[in-house]
Amino acid sequence: MGSQSPSPSLSFDDDVDTPALQQDERQLVSKIWAIYDSISKLPSLEPSKEVNELFSQLVLSCIPPSAIDVARLGGDAQEMRWRLIRLCGVAEGLLESHYSALLGSFPTPLDHVALFPYYNNYVQLGLLEYTILSQHAPRAPDRVAFVGSGPLPLTSIVLARDHLRSTCFHNYDLDPEANAQAQRLVAPDPDLSGRMFFHTADIMEVTHALRDYDVVFLAALVGMGAEEKARVLEHLAKYMAPGAVLMVRSAHGARAFLYPVVDPCSLRCFEVMAVHHPAGEVINSVVIARKIQSCDYQPAGHGHRILPCKCASMPIFNPLRYGNMMEEMALEEQAS
């Protein structure tokens, strides 16, 4: 995508649009709205000094802990949030494509992967997700699917290289060029090239093959709208194998201006085992759920059967324990 057309302007009325918010939350929305206005007027979202500065301002505004519940936003603010998430998705894709091409110019691309400016965030997120997965599925998975892997599949790379050293990773993306870029990154690596596979496909058209995976990761920006996300989750519920684990990335507080929120109790036919809301540099929340052994799946709106979601008593991971968990897992990795 070479350029981004400015979005139609949206008006923000402090007295009308978000009456349910506290004053500090309204100030946060005003700040994010101003950044959104600037981003939406950019002629292109390709990496540049101006693009990088604006998205850095946005991320820094959304990272601090906030009690804001985006469900309480007024109509215009909700529309702004969804448009902003889509702009973030476009910019993230262009940034990853840029760095994937840069890394692909080296004979051994993965030796230089730390050039990506957010590489350390992926290392932390990978360790967090591996820690959560290990606590709820002690046996290492044989086959993992990552849905929405993109041109720079860092989650798969970090997990395969550092944590799940015998697992095969099947990466799904709609864009054939993204898959070609990703393939070039791992091709020179004799280990990862034999364990990482890339499929150009719409996950909504992948059916019985989903039963082959022990774990399915769903990237945060697959299904950016609420209805799109719900359709993807229903599709996974229909075709994943009973007992398989689903790892869903979500967002919490002000971070929900960057990524869509997944309500754990919307995961029909899954038992939600835990939810973690990071408090540090890792932006995405993580939801881990297991496909229920016996579930008579029916799409929403068909029939009158209530499909179960066991989430009432799920534990919420304490962010204060996150640092200890990471240290413990790092020590275990060194010992192995």
Side-chain angles (χ1 to χ4, degrees), residues 25 41 49 74 96 104 128 142 145 158 167 171 174 182 185 192 200 208 248 262 264 294 304-305 309 323:
E25 296 171 340
K41 295 184 175 89
K49 182 179 179 181
E96 290 187 2
L128 170 61
D142 293 324
V158 168
T167 300
N171 301 280
L174 280 168
L185 296 182
L192 295 189
T200 301
H208 299 295
V248 182
V262 175
S294 178
H304 303 284
R305 184 182 301 275
C309 167

mmCIF file of all heavy atoms in Angstrom, residues 25 41 49 74 96 104 128 142 145 158 167 171 174 182 185 192 200 208 248 262 264 294 304-305 309 323:
data_model
loop_
_atom_site.group_PDB
_atom_site.id
_atom_site.type_symbol
_atom_site.label_atom_id
_atom_site.label_comp_id
_atom_site.label_asym_id
_atom_site.label_seq_id
_atom_site.Cartn_x
_atom_site.Cartn_y
_atom_site.Cartn_z
ATOM 1 N N GLU A 25 -9.962 10.155 31.957
ATOM 2 C CA GLU A 25 -10.186 9.295 30.798
ATOM 3 C C GLU A 25 -10.590 10.115 29.588
ATOM 4 O O GLU A 25 -10.166 9.830 28.463
ATOM 5 C CB GLU A 25 -11.244 8.247 31.134
ATOM 6 C CG GLU A 25 -10.832 7.293 32.239
ATOM 7 C CD GLU A 25 -11.955 6.389 32.710
ATOM 8 O OE1 GLU A 25 -13.141 6.729 32.473
ATOM 9 O OE2 GLU A 25 -11.658 5.341 33.306
ATOM 10 N N LYS A 41 -4.192 12.075 8.424
ATOM 11 C CA LYS A 41 -3.872 13.052 7.366
ATOM 12 C C LYS A 41 -2.539 12.758 6.682
ATOM 13 O O LYS A 41 -2.151 13.458 5.752
ATOM 14 C CB LYS A 41 -3.856 14.459 7.958
ATOM 15 C CG LYS A 41 -5.212 14.935 8.474
ATOM 16 C CD LYS A 41 -5.115 16.376 8.958
ATOM 17 C CE LYS A 41 -6.496 16.905 9.353
ATOM 18 N NZ LYS A 41 -6.834 16.652 10.724
ATOM 19 N N LYS A 49 10.269 9.374 9.375
ATOM 20 C CA LYS A 49 10.438 10.058 10.656
ATOM 21 C C LYS A 49 9.095 10.514 11.218
ATOM 22 O O LYS A 49 8.798 10.319 12.408
ATOM 23 C CB LYS A 49 11.371 11.261 10.484
ATOM 24 C CG LYS A 49 11.629 12.006 11.786
ATOM 25 C CD LYS A 49 12.587 13.169 11.583
ATOM 26 C CE LYS A 49 12.808 13.921 12.901
ATOM 27 N NZ LYS A 49 13.727 15.087 12.724
ATOM 28 N N GLY A 74 -18.457 6.877 23.546
ATOM 29 C CA GLY A 74 -19.588 7.262 22.715
ATOM 30 C C GLY A 74 -19.402 6.847 21.270
ATOM 31 O O GLY A 74 -18.341 6.362 20.875
ATOM 32 N N GLU A 96 6.788 -3.976 9.204
ATOM 33 C CA GLU A 96 7.317 -5.338 9.173
ATOM 34 C C GLU A 96 7.849 -5.698 7.787
ATOM 35 O O GLU A 96 8.890 -6.350 7.660
ATOM 36 C CB GLU A 96 6.243 -6.328 9.613
ATOM 37 C CG GLU A 96 5.901 -6.228 11.096
ATOM 38 C CD GLU A 96 4.962 -7.313 11.546
ATOM 39 O OE1 GLU A 96 4.608 -8.174 10.716
ATOM 40 O OE2 GLU A 96 4.580 -7.309 12.729
ATOM 41 N N GLY A 104 16.244 -9.629 4.908
ATOM 42 C CA GLY A 104 16.409 -10.584 3.824
ATOM 43 C C GLY A 104 17.584 -10.287 2.913
ATOM 44 O O GLY A 104 17.989 -11.140 2.114
ATOM 45 N N LEU A 128 6.437 -14.769 27.600
ATOM 46 C CA LEU A 128 5.180 -14.730 28.339
ATOM 47 C C LEU A 128 4.221 -15.802 27.830
ATOM 48 O O LEU A 128 3.641 -16.571 28.623
ATOM 49 C CB LEU A 128 4.543 -13.346 28.204
ATOM 50 C CG LEU A 128 3.110 -13.199 28.728
ATOM 51 C CD1 LEU A 128 3.047 -13.489 30.228
ATOM 52 C CD2 LEU A 128 2.569 -11.806 28.430
ATOM 53 N N ASP A 142 3.325 -30.686 19.248
ATOM 54 C CA ASP A 142 4.031 -31.163 18.054
ATOM 55 C C ASP A 142 3.863 -30.203 16.886
ATOM 56 O O ASP A 142 4.812 -29.945 16.136
ATOM 57 C CB ASP A 142 3.519 -32.546 17.652
ATOM 58 C CG ASP A 142 3.859 -33.614 18.672
ATOM 59 O OD1 ASP A 142 4.955 -33.547 19.269
ATOM 60 O OD2 ASP A 142 3.020 -34.511 18.888
ATOM 61 N N ALA A 145 -0.140 -23.781 14.814
ATOM 62 C CA ALA A 145 -0.545 -22.890 13.723
ATOM 63 C C ALA A 145 -0.512 -21.459 14.241
ATOM 64 O O ALA A 145 -0.979 -21.181 15.350
ATOM 65 C CB ALA A 145 -1.944 -23.240 13.229
ATOM 66 N N VAL A 158 10.756 -16.690 17.469
ATOM 67 C CA VAL A 158 11.196 -16.676 18.874
ATOM 68 C C VAL A 158 10.793 -17.966 19.578
ATOM 69 O O VAL A 158 11.596 -18.589 20.287
ATOM 70 C CB VAL A 158 10.627 -15.447 19.604
ATOM 71 C CG1 VAL A 158 10.824 -15.568 21.111
ATOM 72 C CG2 VAL A 158 11.284 -14.167 19.089
ATOM 73 N N THR A 167 9.103 -28.326 17.885
ATOM 74 C CA THR A 167 7.750 -28.112 17.368
ATOM 75 C C THR A 167 7.798 -27.600 15.931
ATOM 76 O O THR A 167 8.658 -26.808 15.563
ATOM 77 C CB THR A 167 7.008 -27.098 18.246
ATOM 78 O OG1 THR A 167 6.921 -27.605 19.581
ATOM 79 C CG2 THR A 167 5.603 -26.823 17.731
ATOM 80 N N ASN A 171 2.538 -21.331 9.490
ATOM 81 C CA ASN A 171 2.167 -19.914 9.511
ATOM 82 C C ASN A 171 1.201 -19.608 8.377
ATOM 83 O O ASN A 171 1.465 -19.954 7.212
ATOM 84 C CB ASN A 171 3.426 -19.054 9.370
ATOM 85 C CG ASN A 171 4.418 -19.322 10.489
ATOM 86 O OD1 ASN A 171 4.272 -18.814 11.591
ATOM 87 N ND2 ASN A 171 5.435 -20.134 10.204
ATOM 88 N N LEU A 174 -2.745 -14.158 4.445
ATOM 89 C CA LEU A 174 -3.468 -13.942 3.187
ATOM 90 C C LEU A 174 -2.555 -13.501 2.049
ATOM 91 O O LEU A 174 -2.850 -13.754 0.875
ATOM 92 C CB LEU A 174 -4.535 -12.854 3.395
ATOM 93 C CG LEU A 174 -5.845 -13.222 4.059
ATOM 94 C CD1 LEU A 174 -6.605 -11.944 4.420
ATOM 95 C CD2 LEU A 174 -6.682 -14.085 3.134
ATOM 96 N N ALA A 182 8.756 -13.844 4.470
ATOM 97 C CA ALA A 182 8.998 -14.621 5.684
ATOM 98 C C ALA A 182 9.826 -15.871 5.386
ATOM 99 O O ALA A 182 10.739 -16.229 6.144
ATOM 100 C CB ALA A 182 7.664 -14.997 6.320
ATOM 101 N N LEU A 185 13.501 -15.293 5.146
ATOM 102 C CA LEU A 185 14.186 -15.069 6.418
ATOM 103 C C LEU A 185 14.670 -16.377 7.043
ATOM 104 O O LEU A 185 15.760 -16.429 7.617
ATOM 105 C CB LEU A 185 13.260 -14.353 7.406
ATOM 106 C CG LEU A 185 12.806 -12.941 7.051
ATOM 107 C CD1 LEU A 185 11.947 -12.380 8.175
ATOM 108 C CD2 LEU A 185 13.999 -12.031 6.784
ATOM 109 N N LEU A 192 15.341 -24.050 11.542
ATOM 110 C CA LEU A 192 14.012 -23.444 11.393
ATOM 111 C C LEU A 192 13.403 -23.698 10.022
ATOM 112 O O LEU A 192 12.176 -23.847 9.898
ATOM 113 C CB LEU A 192 14.082 -21.943 11.673
ATOM 114 C CG LEU A 192 14.447 -21.529 13.102
ATOM 115 C CD1 LEU A 192 14.254 -20.034 13.285
ATOM 116 C CD2 LEU A 192 13.619 -22.298 14.122
ATOM 117 N N THR A 200 -0.323 -19.637 2.191
ATOM 118 C CA THR A 200 -1.075 -18.479 1.736
ATOM 119 C C THR A 200 -2.550 -18.872 1.658
ATOM 120 O O THR A 200 -2.955 -19.607 0.746
ATOM 121 C CB THR A 200 -0.576 -17.987 0.370
ATOM 122 O OG1 THR A 200 0.816 -17.638 0.474
ATOM 123 C CG2 THR A 200 -1.365 -16.774 -0.091
ATOM 124 N N HIS A 208 -10.728 -28.590 7.844
ATOM 125 C CA HIS A 208 -10.317 -29.804 8.557
ATOM 126 C C HIS A 208 -8.821 -29.815 8.890
ATOM 127 O O HIS A 208 -8.402 -30.511 9.824
ATOM 128 C CB HIS A 208 -10.698 -31.040 7.743
ATOM 129 C CG HIS A 208 -12.177 -31.153 7.521
ATOM 130 N ND1 HIS A 208 -13.070 -31.342 8.557
ATOM 131 C CD2 HIS A 208 -12.928 -31.051 6.393
ATOM 132 C CE1 HIS A 208 -14.304 -31.387 8.082
ATOM 133 N NE2 HIS A 208 -14.237 -31.206 6.766
ATOM 134 N N VAL A 248 -5.140 -16.425 22.188
ATOM 135 C CA VAL A 248 -5.723 -15.246 21.540
ATOM 136 C C VAL A 248 -5.087 -13.989 22.117
ATOM 137 O O VAL A 248 -4.993 -13.837 23.340
ATOM 138 C CB VAL A 248 -7.250 -15.188 21.768
ATOM 139 C CG1 VAL A 248 -7.848 -13.986 21.037
ATOM 140 C CG2 VAL A 248 -7.907 -16.466 21.297
ATOM 141 N N VAL A 262 -10.820 -8.818 22.947
ATOM 142 C CA VAL A 262 -11.556 -10.081 22.874
ATOM 143 C C VAL A 262 -12.121 -10.374 24.257
ATOM 144 O O VAL A 262 -11.372 -10.522 25.219
ATOM 145 C CB VAL A 262 -10.650 -11.239 22.412
ATOM 146 C CG1 VAL A 262 -11.407 -12.567 22.464
ATOM 147 C CG2 VAL A 262 -10.125 -10.981 21.010
ATOM 148 N N PRO A 264 -13.257 -12.712 26.909
ATOM 149 C CA PRO A 264 -13.064 -14.158 27.120
ATOM 150 C C PRO A 264 -14.363 -14.948 27.086
ATOM 151 O O PRO A 264 -14.378 -16.096 26.627
ATOM 152 C CB PRO A 264 -12.399 -14.230 28.500
ATOM 153 C CG PRO A 264 -11.725 -12.913 28.662
ATOM 154 C CD PRO A 264 -12.613 -11.915 27.979
ATOM 155 N N SER A 294 -16.628 -32.000 24.136
ATOM 156 C CA SER A 294 -17.930 -32.274 23.524
ATOM 157 C C SER A 294 -18.695 -30.973 23.425
ATOM 158 O O SER A 294 -19.111 -30.408 24.435
ATOM 159 C CB SER A 294 -18.717 -33.290 24.356
ATOM 160 O OG SER A 294 -19.993 -33.517 23.790
ATOM 161 N N HIS A 304 -31.539 -22.661 19.138
ATOM 162 C CA HIS A 304 -31.689 -22.102 20.470
ATOM 163 C C HIS A 304 -30.724 -22.720 21.459
ATOM 164 O O HIS A 304 -30.808 -22.451 22.647
ATOM 165 C CB HIS A 304 -33.129 -22.337 20.961
ATOM 166 C CG HIS A 304 -34.163 -21.755 20.043
ATOM 167 N ND1 HIS A 304 -34.421 -20.401 20.003
ATOM 168 C CD2 HIS A 304 -34.969 -22.331 19.109
ATOM 169 C CE1 HIS A 304 -35.371 -20.156 19.099
ATOM 170 N NE2 HIS A 304 -35.719 -21.312 18.549
ATOM 171 N N ARG A 305 -29.802 -23.541 20.997
ATOM 172 C CA ARG A 305 -28.873 -24.183 21.903
ATOM 173 C C ARG A 305 -27.865 -23.167 22.436
ATOM 174 O O ARG A 305 -27.354 -22.333 21.711
ATOM 175 C CB ARG A 305 -28.117 -25.308 21.183
ATOM 176 C CG ARG A 305 -27.192 -26.102 22.119
ATOM 177 C CD ARG A 305 -26.446 -27.161 21.322
ATOM 178 N NE ARG A 305 -27.391 -28.062 20.691
ATOM 179 C CZ ARG A 305 -27.920 -29.110 21.297
ATOM 180 N NH1 ARG A 305 -27.617 -29.363 22.553
ATOM 181 N NH2 ARG A 305 -28.766 -29.889 20.653
ATOM 182 N N CYS A 309 -19.286 -21.616 27.530
ATOM 183 C CA CYS A 309 -18.011 -20.932 27.699
ATOM 184 C C CYS A 309 -17.714 -20.932 29.188
ATOM 185 O O CYS A 309 -18.454 -20.328 29.954
ATOM 186 C CB CYS A 309 -18.075 -19.490 27.183
ATOM 187 S SG CYS A 309 -16.657 -18.503 27.704
ATOM 188 N N GLY A 323 7.261 -10.473 36.117
ATOM 189 C CA GLY A 323 8.711 -10.420 36.122
ATOM 190 C C GLY A 323 9.310 -11.672 36.722
ATOM 191 O O GLY A 323 10.268 -12.237 36.192
#
